[in-house]
Amino acid sequence: MDPSTALRSIRKAWYLVALGVLAAVSVAVVMTSTTLPVYETSATYVVSPSQDPTIDTAESVRTLEDPRSRAIVSTYAEVLVSEAVRREAAEGLGLDLAGLAEYQFRSVVLPEANVVELSVTGPSPQIVVLLANTSGDIGAARFIDLYQLFDIVQLDPPPLPTTPANPTLTQTAVMAGALGLLGGLILALLWGAPKVRKQNRMRRRVDTYGERAGQGTVTSIELHRNRAAGAG
């Protein structure tokens, strides 16, 4: 589709673009106003050599320095968000399974470091902090039972979130407006382009007919002139 046809199509169906933006923003506003706030907090934990004097510290340091260290740290990250750890943490806080389902756990191994970040998201800012701390303690205990060469040290405690992690109304409206604009432009092109092409074909036919009619008129005039000249 050439730019001229696209531009004319959008001009012809501009109201579809406006309706697309308006509909998208309206839906976004309604959804945002009815969505419950969600809070998120994060804590970081370092996998370090064990401080137990009965443990071979040199061996634990060597292990954390070789290529196996990423596998070890990744194992701790998986332990942190395991079903067993999450359930034990919820039970310790008096949460049932239905209440636990409202909270999401995520663990990430930070690049170039033996550090794991645990994030907890849910409807209560106080409970996300408690779940992060409790899961960190339980996960550390389970990990140390498996790998006694290492210890887990909390690097950064989970802060109490004061604002929801949900996108703000303005952010949601802007994103929805952009999507609505794109959708409206596509609809305008799909609806308007065939009509513009049809008008272009009709215009070309009219122009062609006009040119042929003009040529015929000129020929007729010349013929009459020639006849008049012959008669004279």
Side-chain angles (χ1 to χ4, degrees), residues 117-198:
E117 180 182 65
L118 171 66
S119 299
V120 182
T121 307
S124 171
Q126 292 79 18
I127 292 181
V128 294
V129 173
L130 292 173
L131 281 173
N133 277 322
T134 306
S135 299
D137 293 340
I138 296 172
R142 288 176 176 264
F143 179 79
I144 293 172
D145 285 341
L146 295 172
Y147 298 93
Q148 298 181 2
L149 287 175
F150 310 107
D151 198 1
I152 302 296
V153 179
Q154 188 180 70
L155 183 61
D156 296 311
L160 179 67
T162 56
T163 57
N166 311 59
T168 64
L169 179 60
T170 301
Q171 292 172 333
T172 304
V174 170
M175 290 187 292
L179 291 176
L181 177 62
L182 178 60
L185 289 174
I186 293 174
L187 288 176
L189 291 174
L190 292 176
W191 185 87
K195 296 182 180 296
V196 172
R197 291 194 185 101
K198 184 177 180 180

Side-chain angles (χ1 to χ4, degrees), residues 185-226:
L185 289 174
I186 293 174
L187 288 176
L189 291 174
L190 292 176
W191 185 87
K195 296 182 180 296
V196 172
R197 291 194 185 101
K198 184 177 180 180
Q199 291 177 351
N200 290 338
R201 288 195 298 269
M202 292 296 295
R203 186 177 294 106
R204 285 194 295 269
R205 290 177 183 176
V206 171
D207 293 341
T208 302
Y209 178 79
E211 291 175 359
R212 290 177 179 176
Q215 292 174 358
T217 301
V218 171
T219 302
S220 178
I221 292 174
E222 290 177 349
L223 179 61
H224 283 294
R225 287 178 178 175
N226 292 335

Side-chain angles (χ1 to χ4, degrees), residues 2 15 22 32-33 41 53-55 76 79 83 99 107 151 165 176 195 197 213 231:
D2 61 276
Y15 59 90
L22 180 61
T32 302
S33 61
T41 190
T54 63
I55 301 296
Y76 174 58
V79 170
E83 182 71 17
S107 62
D151 198 1
K195 296 182 180 296
R197 291 194 185 101

Side-chain angles (χ1 to χ4, degrees), residues 22 45 58 61 90 114 191 230:
L22 180 61
Y45 300 89
V61 171
N114 296 326
W191 185 87

